[in-house]
Amino acid sequence: MKGLLNLGIKASAVLFTGALLVACSNDQDPGLEYAPDMYHSIPLDPYSQVKENKYNPGGLNMREPAPGTVARGKMGYNMYLSKDEAEVAGVELKNPLEYNEQNLAEGQVLYNRFCSSCHGEQGDGQGLVGQKFKGVPSYSAGRVATLPAGHIFHVITNGRGRMMPHGSQVNPTERWKIVMYVQQLQKGEVGAGAGTEEAQDAAETGTEAPVTGTTPQ
């Protein structure tokens, strides 16, 4: 009787081990799923799809926006370029903001906050970081002095070379204000009329959010 019991235990152990090996051998099959409604959204969730969607092209829940549309909150600054390059942006993108002292003064505030550490307050590439890591160009010399507004906007958004993207730090409106001030530095003109009432207000209030410069959500 005892021998049969030991044999049964050994047989059960072998069967259990075999079941474990078989269950873990298929990476594509996680096994039984209890209460699948707790894991998978009944509505069409673009980031969690189990079955093919027979109503949308390609069978996907997620669909691309209609060509030429602008997402809410993007204020028309989506970069619909024929080719996603700074040179192309320089031709196809224009600054939508009005050139005035207020925008220029706010651009100076934003530039000093986010750009001057590398590019310098004078735009000469001699900021504290620029002095340590050589090679930051001057805005008023060479090819950089002729870069158009769209080119500058694209580089601020996506970065270039050693310069990292700043699209997550300044919103599109603020980027265009920075572009406006950078184009003044390209001419060798520093400051945005600090004696004007608009410039003083901008210096005192900063931009929409005092820390990041981006509108709080």
Side-chain angles (χ1 to χ4, degrees):
M1 184 68 179
K2 187 175 181 180
L4 290 175
L5 181 61
N6 290 335
L7 182 61
I9 293 174
K10 292 179 180 179
S12 299
V14 170
L15 290 174
F16 181 71
T17 302
L20 286 177
L21 292 174
V22 172
C24 299
S25 62
N26 188 352
D27 295 336
Q28 303 301 319
D29 185 2
L32 292 177
E33 187 175 60
Y34 296 97
D37 290 348
M38 298 291 290
Y39 298 95
H40 303 290
S41 174
I42 295 177
L44 300 181
D45 188 342
Y47 298 109
S48 176
Q49 183 170 355
V50 179
K51 298 179 181 179
E52 181 180 4
N53 187 323
K54 61 182 180 180
Y55 302 107
N56 286 348
L60 299 177
N61 288 341
M62 190 184 317
R63 299 192 65 173
E64 295 183 0
T69 56
V70 177
R72 180 176 297 175
K74 295 300 183 181
M75 302 178 66
Y77 296 145
N78 289 31
M79 292 193 292
Y80 292 108
L81 303 173
S82 58
K83 193 173 184 181
D84 190 16
E85 292 181 352
E87 288 72 16
V88 176
V91 176
E92 299 181 2
L93 289 182
K94 306 299 178 185
N95 195 332
L97 302 183
E98 178 185 356
Y99 185 89
N100 56 40
E101 290 292 338
Q102 178 69 26
N103 287 333
L104 193 59
E106 291 182 2
Q108 181 183 10
V109 172
L110 290 160
Y111 173 87
N112 288 335
R113 185 177 298 166
F114 293 99
C115 313
S116 63
S117 57
C118 290
H119 293 279
E121 291 187 8
Q122 311 293 319
D124 54 4
Q126 296 302 305
L128 293 177
V129 177
Q131 293 177 28
K132 183 174 180 61
F133 300 95
K134 307 297 183 181
V136 180
S138 170
Y139 286 129
S140 59
R143 172 178 172 270
V144 179
T146 63
L147 294 178
H151 187 291
I152 301 170
F153 181 87
H154 189 281
V155 172
I156 294 174
T157 305
N158 299 299
R160 189 162 194 172
R162 293 187 300 172
M163 177 177 167
M164 300 300 291
H166 283 64
S168 62
Q169 300 179 47
V170 283
N171 64 40
T173 303
E174 293 166 338
R175 280 174 244 162
W176 282 120
K177 291 177 181 179
I178 293 174
V179 169
M180 195 177 294
Y181 184 68
V182 167
Q183 289 195 299
Q184 178 168 299
L185 293 176
Q186 287 177 310
K187 303 172 186 177
E189 301 173 4
V190 180
T196 65
E197 182 178 348
E198 292 87 350
Q200 290 175 357
D201 291 342
E204 291 173 2
T205 60
T207 54
E208 296 166 345
V211 178
T212 64
T214 304
T215 305
Q217 299 299 323

